[in-house]
Every structure is written in C-alpha cells, then in structure tokens.
Amino acid sequence: MAELPSDPLQRPLPDGAVPEPVVVRTEEHWVTIMAVMLTAMMVIMVVTSVVGALHPASNVEVIDSRTLHLKGEFVESNLGTALEPDGSVTVRLIAQQYDFVPRCVVVPADTPVKFRLTSDDVVHGFLLPDTNINTMVVPGFVAEVRTRFARPGDYVMPCHEYCGLGHQAMWARVKVVPWDQFAGQGLLERTSCATQ
Ligand code: CUA
C-alpha cells in the first residue's frame, strides 16, 4: 500500500468528495441569491427614502456645549415648543444623560414642526417612530429635523444611541394635539407637558 503524504493538503480527495462542476454550480446559485438580496435591499432603501422623505440630517451648526445653560438659544427658559410668526412651531430640546429636557413637549397636528436639539454631554439619538425623524444628537452641534404630524396622539421618543448605563431609560414624549387645543394652551403647558 502506497504511503500517504504527511501534508494533508497533498493527499488525494477521498471517494465521495463533491465533484468540481457541482461546487461551481452551487456557488453560482448562492452568488445569484446574494445579488438578488442586495438589489432588493438597495431598491427598498431608495424607495423608502423617497416615499418616506428619509434623508441624512444635513444641518451643520456648531454650538458651545459648555455654555448651553448660560446663554443663547438653549437656555432653560427657551426650551420646549415655540410658536413662530408664520404659524409653524419650533421645538428646542437638550439631550443629556439620561433625559430629554423638557421630557414632554406639545405640538399641534398638521403643522410644520422643526425640532432643534443639542447635547450637553455625550452622543445621544433622537427618533420618532412612524415619522421621518431620526437623528444623532452630538455635543457641540445642533441637530435640526423637520416634520408634520398628520394626527393627534402621543409619540414616544427613545434615545437610540448608546449613551451610558441609563440609556435604555432615556425616553421622552411628543404630545400631538389638534390646533385649537394647542392655541388654547398657556405658554407653560405648551412648553412642557412633563407634569401632566
Ligand atoms: Cu441618550 Cu442613549
């Protein structure tokens, strides 16, 4: 009986090994399946970005996170929902470990809403399910996202960027109310609904 080479790679294939044409055919099938999956995912991405107005947040605006609470747009008295002269609203929020400030904001339905957010510590995320809003909130920058809520209701907004041990408890609320109800609210109720 012939001696087998000691290097296993040099030994002849045992009987029953898969013949080369079968290997080639199987690989071709899997390449085709992967190409179809990749194409389908690309198509889904393009379609959802067009239909759902999803796009990368494009606002580049710097801010000094060390003086956030002392001066400028994000001082405490200026946070929450503000009514603009053109009838739209602007919501200003600070993300911090482990809360959004204010925790709850009221906005009117069927009205252009602009969210402006910044962080005073680490990177957080801001996501409103069932809307096109999804942005990172990076210290030193102002994130700006716009939307319009079609229906009244409560939207919970989770922080979706791991920001520390309390990350999973970092939630806030957007309360969408009919325009009449919004207009009838006092400034304080409108600014924050955290205590309601
Ligand atoms: Cu803030 Cu996770």
Side-chain angles (χ1 to χ4, degrees):
M1 200 177 122
E3 278 286 300
L4 285 174
S6 58
D7 180 354
L9 293 176
Q10 300 296 318
R11 290 179 200 159
L13 286 172
D15 290 345
V18 182
E20 189 176 331
V22 178
V23 172
V24 170
R25 207 167 56 228
T26 311
E27 288 195 345
E28 281 172 356
H29 283 166
W30 279 108
V31 167
T32 310
I33 289 170
M34 283 191 0
V36 168
M37 283 168 66
L38 278 174
T39 311
M41 284 189 267
M42 290 297 290
V43 169
I44 289 168
M45 268 171 58
V46 171
V47 168
T48 50
S49 63
V50 172
V51 173
L54 306 178
H55 53 81
S58 50
N59 187 52
V60 179
E61 197 180 325
V62 292
I63 191 164
D64 187 348
S65 49
R66 291 166 304 178
T67 56
L68 229 46
H69 301 286
L70 304 176
K71 58 176 187 192
E73 187 183 342
F74 289 89
V75 292
E76 195 177 353
S77 58
N78 205 36
L79 297 177
T81 309
L83 190 57
E84 302 294 346
D86 64 0
S88 68
V89 297
T90 302
V91 181
R92 293 184 179 84
L93 296 166
I94 292 181
Q96 62 187 31
Q97 286 168 322
Y98 298 101
D99 251 327
F100 289 95
V101 183
R103 274 190 190 168
C104 176
V105 286
V106 181
V107 299
D110 207 21
T111 304
V113 180
K114 180 165 79 184
F115 285 92
R116 286 175 59 78
L117 299 105
T118 190
S119 163
D120 69 356
D121 40 42
V122 299
V123 179
H124 299 275
F126 181 70
L127 170 80
L128 285 185
D130 302 328
T131 72
N132 60 338
I133 288 191
N134 183 349
T135 184
M136 302 233 294
V137 185
V138 182
F141 292 88
V142 178
E144 187 177 297
V145 280
R146 292 155 192 263
T147 195
R148 178 189 278 265
F149 297 94
R151 285 179 304 278
D154 277 5
Y155 291 74
V156 284
M157 38 188 196
C159 172
H160 65 76
E161 192 69 38
Y162 183 73
C163 53
L165 290 177
H167 160 74
Q168 82 287 348
M170 187 166 169
W171 293 81
R173 260 212 163 103
V174 174
K175 210 176 168 70
V176 182
V177 299
W179 175 262
D180 297 345
Q181 191 184 332
F182 178 79
Q185 283 185 324
L187 193 61
L188 202 62
E189 291 172 285
R190 206 186 274 177
T191 305
S192 170
C193 45
T195 53
Q196 291 173 5

